[in-house]
Amino acid sequence: MRIKLRTKIAVLVLGVVTVFLCANVLWESSRGAELEEAELVQQARALSANMEAVWEFMNHNQDKINYDSAGNFEFKGLQCSIAGRSVGAYFTRDTNYSVRYVSDTPRNRADEPDAFEQEAIEAFRADPNLSEYYTFAEVDGQRVFRYAEPMVLVQSCLSCHGEPAGELDLSGYPREGFAQGHVYGALSMDIPTEAFVAASNENAALNIGFSLALIVACVAIISIAISHLVTRPLAQVRTAMEDVAEGDYSARLPQDRSSDEMAVLSCGFNQMTSQLEKTTGHLEELVAERTTALEHANAELARQSAELEKANEALTEENQYRSDFLAMMSHELRTPLAASMAFADILRERRAVEGQFGAEDERLWHEMESNHRTLLSMINNILEMARIDAGRESFRPELMDIGDVIGLLENTIAPLADQKSIALEYRIGDVPLFVADAEKLRRIVENLMSNAVKFTPEGGRILFAAEHRTDEGFIDFTVADTGCGIPEASQATIFDRFVQADSSSSRAYGGSGLGLALVRELAEMHDGSVSLESTVGVGSTFTVRIPDNIPLIGGDEV
């Protein structure tokens, strides 16, 4: 269902004005509450000033009250407190207000403070600069404004409440021993708020009524103006547009003088239809030309898409061929390598039994064994990477102990380090049982430690550390060496495949450049990461970080 523009604008204006009206009502309500509080405070201050005037009058006229014309003293018992309490009682009796003097050390039980009054007295004592204390509360089912002012002992009060404590004053009460300036109590007033609330509600109702009347008038005026200035001219435009849509390009709008905007619109529309009338004869020819060009463009796009699809298929086949080739070659190389390692062990044992295995033979055998291990590690890395690329590498989490990792290092890395007289140091923190893929974690640690042994000179030192970062939820495995270090320019690509720090490293130490790339791949399969800190000539530190909450198969976590 279509809605007329006039109705939309009227609804929009009504909505905007209503929002402003609601905002005004809320503001008036908030302001009314503030004004109510301010007026009650002023009224309480005025009443308090009157009570203080009575108190001060009685205080200044004690001598006139207690001495006769002959100068003889006769205590009349009309003290300041008696007069103040009496005036407050009379005022309370004749009005719906409540006025009284209270103290937490009263001489009359009727002067004991309630919870609000006690709170006010304590506030006055805590802050000597606080001159008033007030709040709104419910008293006997009626909402009242509660107000209190401090009663501070002045010099004239010391005759009854000062030193020495315990001595009877003129009225027969023992003195409290208070000093000048002590907050003795408070003047407490309860003022009903019913009249103020009623006045505020009446004022709000008047404001709302006036605002509603204003809204109705505004909407009516705007509706009339829109009808004359907008909707009527637009109806003419709509009729002309319908004629143009039916192919009648001779349609024209009358010159509208209701507004400059409509005059410009009418002129522009007439110019447009005139131009359409001139160009309509050539439109079919132009459309045909554009259609032909579009067909050529689509044919070219289809040809390029086909070529791109062929290129993608060729690239996919090439990648698959490369992965299959590397996997096949690595697998085929590992079989003769395993045989070579076995024959070397048999030859060493046979020569040792025959007593022909000398120191030179021992050195050569260790060198051959080291090369065998290096080649086997390279082949294993290539096979592992090929399985990952082919998507055939699965993640098998299981519960592990950090001792399993240390045992692996002792069995595989320690003999290599001993050959180069490299000191291995272990620093294990409080690492609990954790979940990881044991085989992949073994490959990570073995690659990092083998690299450390490879690039650390004889007599160097390698540190393996494990630490549980409980605050971050990770377990860190760190391998730090005192090797040659990695230049800063090479650190950004050191974890890429077939990349080493420089070509001289490849020649001097050997390697395929897959070890660190595989470490990163395997760490990321744990939802972990690997980082590097290195200084040339000082050494390198690799840190593998894996989460400490990897779920076991079946959903259990540690």
Side-chain angles (χ1 to χ4, degrees), residues 364-380:
L364 293 175
W365 186 86
H366 281 301
E367 186 68 25
M368 182 172 59
E369 184 183 35
S370 177
N371 288 327
H372 280 159
R373 289 179 179 272
T374 301
L375 182 56
L376 181 60
S377 178
M378 291 168 58
I379 292 173
N380 287 336

Side-chain angles (χ1 to χ4, degrees), residues 11 49 280 328 363 494 533 558:
V11 171
T280 187
M328 180 186 66
R363 185 187 67 79
I494 196 66
E533 294 180 5
V558 294

Side-chain angles (χ1 to χ4, degrees), residues 238-293:
R238 176 183 176 182
T239 301
M241 289 293 295
E242 289 174 350
D243 293 340
V244 172
E246 293 175 357
D248 182 9
Y249 299 114
S250 64
R252 299 292 185 271
L253 287 175
Q255 291 295 322
D256 194 308
R257 302 298 180 184
S258 61
S259 65
D260 292 341
E261 292 79 6
M262 292 307 302
V264 171
L265 177 62
S266 299
C267 181
F269 181 86
N270 292 337
Q271 291 177 355
M272 178 192 70
T273 53
S274 177
Q275 186 67 28
L276 283 174
E277 214 171 8
K278 292 179 182 178
T279 58
T280 187
H282 306 286
L283 185 59
E284 291 183 1
E285 182 181 351
L286 184 61
V287 169
E289 292 177 358
R290 293 291 186 268
T291 302
T292 302

Side-chain angles (χ1 to χ4, degrees), residues 149-214:
E149 280 192 0
M151 294 172 55
V152 181
L153 291 182
V154 295
Q155 180 66 36
S156 60
C157 300
L158 299 180
S159 61
C160 294
H161 300 285
E163 297 286 350
E167 182 179 288
L168 299 181
D169 62 4
L170 293 175
S171 60
Y173 287 96
R175 297 181 180 182
E176 289 85 353
F178 295 141
Q180 184 175 348
H182 175 73
V183 177
Y184 177 73
L187 168 61
S188 174
M189 287 179 282
D190 290 352
I191 303 176
T193 62
E194 182 179 355
F196 296 95
V197 173
S200 177
N201 291 340
E202 182 180 357
N203 184 54
L206 290 175
N207 286 338
I208 293 174
F210 175 77
S211 299
L212 289 175
L214 182 62

